[in-house]
Amino acid sequence: MAKRAIVTGITGQDGSYLAELLLDKGYEVTGVVRRLSASNFWRIEHLLDRITLRPADLLDQLSLIRVVQDVRPHEFYNLAAMSFVPASWDQPLLTGDFNSQGVTRVLEAIRQVDTGIRIYQASSSEMYGRVREVPQTELTPFYPRSPYGVSKVFGHYITVNYRESYGIFAVSGILFNHESPRRGIEFVTRKVTDGVARIKLGLADSLGLGNLEACRDWGFAGDYVRAMWLMLQQDTADDYVIATGVSHSVRQLVESAFSHAGLDWQKYVKTDPAFLRPAEVDHLIGDASKARKVLGWEPEVSFDKLVAMMVDADLERLSGQTRRVGAVR
Ligand code: NAP
Ligand code: GDD
């Protein structure tokens, strides 16, 4: 009998890669989507004939209970969230409702329907914020620096609490930044690779960015969804840091992306205070020793390969568009 999995956030970057992985492993995959006036299925278009989509919303308890009751999954991956850090200062209450109480609603749905369902919660390295130690491990104390980070700390601890209170197989994956050609366009990696492609193709002549000195531990999303699945296949539920252990600055990201396209970044990048944050997370670098040892997980895509993959994908996408409208100079 095929295993059944529910994935919230299936229309997002990670949801699309996780759905591919689960289908490859023979799962029946149900994706939870919230109602929108127009569909946004560009990341899962190629999967639509192999997955089932069900309407539900992290804000609506009954819709979550209904989908869990109907599907009776073996595994539940809670990836849905308001995930863009700057937006969390504009909408702190909604961010908390999605990312904190939304997790409680998912856990409650599982508790009420079947405590045997295994659940993965998408926690974040943003919880470390103003870091208390370098590199960060599962034991490093949290010091979040944005409403997003604060909301994810709640999501993390309520997951731990449902594990300890009700014996649910609930795990929290503390994932460091992971990227891909499917990354949302407002996140810095994709903003840079899209900007490089536009400049290269003559569609733009500059790129405005915020803090170039911030450092992140960037990995490839395809590697990270493998870790999510591995966490739910263990004998006991536990929490894991997932990271490459290598950190780069935004400036190094910019240098790498522009030079891959044969461009000198200093001619095009302008710093713009509009992209600075009220409180910054300066330097993240993770220690994934526990995941390597217990899960046997290893990242396969290096930083340089990741940047090259993303620049090439944006060049291909945009040159297709410019060919169609004949806009290349
Ligand atoms: P993403 O691309 O922004 O996708 C977020 C998903 O959540 C989308 O499918 C979105 O649906 C859905 N969603 C948002 N609000 C919802 C609601 N109220 N009800 C139902 N669905 C809702 O994010 P991602 O990069 O794939 O990240 C996946 C998860 O991992 C998130 O929880 C994020 O916070 C966490 N995380 C990400 C990273 C990273 O570097 N990518 C690192 C650590 C943790 P729509 O398409 O309708 O908007
Ligand atoms: N977005 C953006 N745009 N970031 C910029 C810019 C810019 O123009 N210029 C500099 N940055 C800096 C930000 O200040 C931040 O320090 C860094 O680039 C990374 O920003 P994002 O790519 O927006 O990601 P994030 O680190 O804030 O959050 C992502 O990773 C978290 C895991 O640590 C998101 O995916 C979160 O959902 C995730 O939890």
Side-chain angles (χ1 to χ4, degrees):
M1 192 191 62
K3 270 190 170 180
R4 293 179 300 280
I6 292 181
V7 180
T8 69
I10 196 160
T11 54
Q13 171 188 257
D14 291 5
S16 66
Y17 283 106
L18 179 64
E20 281 171 10
L21 178 113
L22 294 172
L23 288 169
D24 280 352
K25 293 189 178 297
Y27 281 69
E28 286 173 16
V29 177
T30 298
V32 164
V33 290
R34 54 178 169 171
R35 197 206 160 264
L36 298 171
S37 63
S39 67
N40 60 344
F41 294 159
W42 62 275
R43 295 183 176 102
I44 52 169
E45 206 77 63
H46 59 299
L47 304 176
L48 287 177
D49 58 346
R50 293 194 287 149
I51 59 178
T52 306
L53 296 180
R54 290 286 308 255
D57 198 300
L58 288 187
L59 299 183
D60 189 277
Q61 180 73 72
L62 292 180
S63 68
L64 293 168
I65 292 176
R66 201 172 303 123
V67 74
V68 174
Q69 232 157 19
D70 290 353
V71 176
R72 288 296 184 129
H74 300 87
E75 295 170 13
F76 191 116
Y77 295 85
N78 185 37
L79 309 187
M82 200 305 288
S83 74
F84 189 47
V85 173
S88 74
W89 277 284
D90 294 333
Q91 301 187 325
L93 296 176
L94 190 60
T95 301
D97 219 346
F98 283 178
N99 298 1
S100 301
Q101 295 307 354
V103 184
T104 316
R105 290 187 194 98
V106 165
L107 289 162
E108 263 306 299
I110 286 170
R111 185 172 83 87
Q112 295 197 17
V113 176
D114 178 0
T115 52
I117 297 168
R118 296 185 168 207
I119 169 164
Y120 171 85
Q121 166 57 20
S123 293
S124 165
S125 52
E126 272 290 301
M127 300 190 301
Y128 297 118
R130 181 178 277 174
V131 298
R132 307 283 88 187
E133 65 177 345
V134 179
Q136 294 85 53
T137 73
E138 293 79 6
L139 299 177
T140 303
F142 300 137
Y143 191 145
R145 294 272 282 167
S146 63
Y148 170 85
V150 173
S151 72
K152 283 286 181 179
V153 172
F154 182 97
H156 170 78
Y157 279 124
I158 198 72
T159 303
V160 173
N161 182 260
Y162 269 58
R163 177 168 78 220
E164 294 176 355
S165 303
Y166 305 115
I168 294 174
F169 194 109
V171 308
S172 169
I174 307 174
L175 272 50
F176 283 63
N177 299 49
H178 45 280
E179 320 291 318
S180 74
R182 298 183 200 166
R183 186 57 140 152
I185 206 94
E186 72 269 63
F187 297 90
V188 76
T189 51
R190 188 72 203 292
K191 181 172 170 182
V192 168
T193 62
D194 175 76
V196 165
R198 283 177 194 279
I199 291 167
K200 183 75 181 176
L201 296 171
L203 299 170
D205 51 20
S206 66
L207 176 64
L209 291 172
N211 178 9
L212 299 184
E213 309 315 324
C215 292
R216 290 291 182 276
D217 180 332
W218 278 296
F220 171 53
D223 285 338
Y224 284 45
V225 299
R226 212 169 52 245
M228 297 175 187
W229 177 78
L230 282 167
M231 285 180 217
L232 290 197
Q233 312 313 310
Q234 304 306 304
D235 291 336
T236 47
D238 207 346
D239 308 320
Y240 298 88
V241 160
I242 300 298
T244 68
V246 182
S247 190
H248 291 90
S249 63
V250 174
R251 184 184 298 274
Q252 288 171 315
L253 161 74
V254 165
E255 280 167 0
S256 171
F258 276 80
S259 82
H260 183 69
L263 297 170
D264 174 3
W265 70 276
Q266 306 208 49
K267 290 188 185 149
Y268 304 102
V269 172
K270 300 185 171 22
T271 47
D272 181 342
F275 298 113
L276 297 176
R277 299 178 179 189
E280 178 62 287
V281 171
D282 294 315
H283 192 178
L284 293 177
I285 178 164
D287 175 353
S289 309
K290 180 175 165 185
R292 286 173 196 262
K293 189 163 159 245
V294 180
L295 306 177
W297 177 83
E298 292 284 342
E300 286 172 7
V301 177
S302 68
F303 173 77
D304 287 330
K305 258 199 193 160
L306 173 66
V307 173
M309 177 205 300
M310 292 176 68
V311 171
D312 290 344
D314 277 319
L315 278 169
E316 196 185 323
R317 178 180 59 88
L318 288 167
S319 56
Q321 278 177 24
T322 54
R323 262 199 307 278
R324 276 197 296 281
V325 296
V328 172
R329 280 196 295 230

